[in-house]
Amino acid sequence: KQEVTQIPAALSVPEGENLVLNCSFTDSAIYNLQWFRQDPGKGLTSLLLIQSSQREQTSGRLNASLDKSSGRSTLYIAASQPGDSATYLCAVPGYSSASKIIFGSGTRLSIRP
Amino acid sequence: NAGVTQTPKFRVLKTGQSMTLLCAQDMNHEYMYWYRQDPGMGLRLIHYSVGEGTTAKGEVPDGYNVSRLKKQNFLLGLESAAPSQTSVYFCASSYPGGAGELFFGEGSRLTVL
């Protein structure tokens, strides 16, 4: 059974710092891994989608990496801003049941001005 | 560009009442999902559909029913609401195969008294 873990559950850093959020998964047979952002009271917004054949994806100040063999993904945020404050979640569908996408519990990020 | 739309956004029910949540997507996606999100529990899959006329159970299907009569719509029903079903419900859709990007609605907040 696929399990997805995100540590830490919460993170607070001063504005301008570069930071890394972690996501680990137990079953390396995945189609892809997706990172989402969720603002309070809102739905989830897709940030980056990494296919299983890729090592990383970049969008603006965000860079996501994927290491299937170790069951890990990281989301790197460069030059953090207060507007980056949100909860970040990762999600993976498995090969055995690609329809069942499993989510981590998220990292709540706070950027201090 | 509506994407995924959920109605209603808020609802208060009394124990034993029934209701239906509607999810509509305009991206011609095959796959649709219903999740619930609870504090400390993360996102849990209730039911999903891989195409018009088909549905399947997720992690927490008890107390819910679904229907996918049209490709663009996915309905979630509560036949006899219970306080344990107080939650925020999210609908999502994607292209098939697990390789597609997942898109979410804004959520429906349900309170059962």
Side-chain angles (χ1 to χ4, degrees):
Chain A
K1 176 185 175 184
Q2 179 73 274
E3 294 183 1
V4 182
T5 304
Q6 291 184 250
I7 296 173
L11 182 64
S12 179
V13 300
E15 180 178 3
E17 281 200 4
N18 303 323
L19 59 99
V20 174
L21 305 180
N22 298 296
C23 172
S24 61
F25 45 94
T26 54
D27 184 352
S28 61
I30 60 172
Y31 271 112
N32 59 51
L33 186 143
Q34 196 167 354
W35 281 93
F36 294 87
R37 168 187 174 134
Q38 185 176 28
D39 294 290
K42 299 291 187 182
L44 280 72
T45 301
S46 178
L47 296 174
L48 289 164
L49 173 69
I50 312 176
Q51 300 294 350
S52 61
S53 58
Q54 297 175 316
R55 297 283 293 183
E56 64 179 51
Q57 278 281 2
T58 298
S59 176
R61 294 182 293 108
L62 305 179
N63 176 278
S65 67
L66 176 63
D67 184 345
K68 285 175 52 180
S69 61
S70 67
R72 292 184 178 183
S73 175
T74 61
L75 179 67
Y76 174 82
I77 302 177
S80 58
Q81 303 170 358
D84 294 330
S85 297
T87 296
Y88 291 80
L89 299 98
C90 62
V92 294
Y95 267 98
S96 60
S97 182
S99 307
K100 293 186 177 182
I101 301 173
I102 305 301
F103 284 80
S105 54
T107 294
R108 189 172 67 253
L109 177 64
S110 175
I111 308 298
R112 305 190 300 270
Chain B
N1 187 8
V4 180
T5 304
Q6 294 181 226
T7 53
K9 290 184 169 47
F10 301 93
R11 183 75 186 269
V12 178
L13 288 177
K14 294 181 179 178
T15 297
Q17 288 185 319
S18 64
M19 75 158 296
T20 300
L21 297 176
L22 170 64
C23 176
Q25 53 93 5
D26 61 2
M27 295 173 283
N28 202 34
H29 285 165
E30 290 290 337
Y31 286 15
M32 296 187 74
Y33 307 82
W34 276 107
Y35 287 89
R36 61 178 289 175
Q37 187 175 40
D38 303 287
M41 301 292 290
L43 275 159
R44 292 181 292 170
L45 181 63
I46 305 171
H47 285 282
Y48 64 99
S49 168
V50 298
E52 182 178 319
T54 70
T55 63
K57 295 180 180 180
E59 299 174 76
V60 288
D62 294 342
Y64 304 95
N65 56 76
V66 289
S67 64
R68 184 96 181 269
L69 299 180
K70 294 182 178 180
K71 185 178 182 180
Q72 63 268 33
N73 295 338
F74 195 27
L75 278 63
L76 178 70
L78 285 72
E79 291 184 345
S80 180
S84 61
Q85 294 178 303
T86 294
S87 186
V88 181
Y89 293 85
F90 288 101
C91 177
S93 69
S94 73
Y95 286 114
E101 190 174 0
L102 197 60
F103 293 87
F104 276 83
E106 287 288 304
S108 297
R109 185 175 296 275
L110 175 65
T111 300
V112 183
L113 303 175

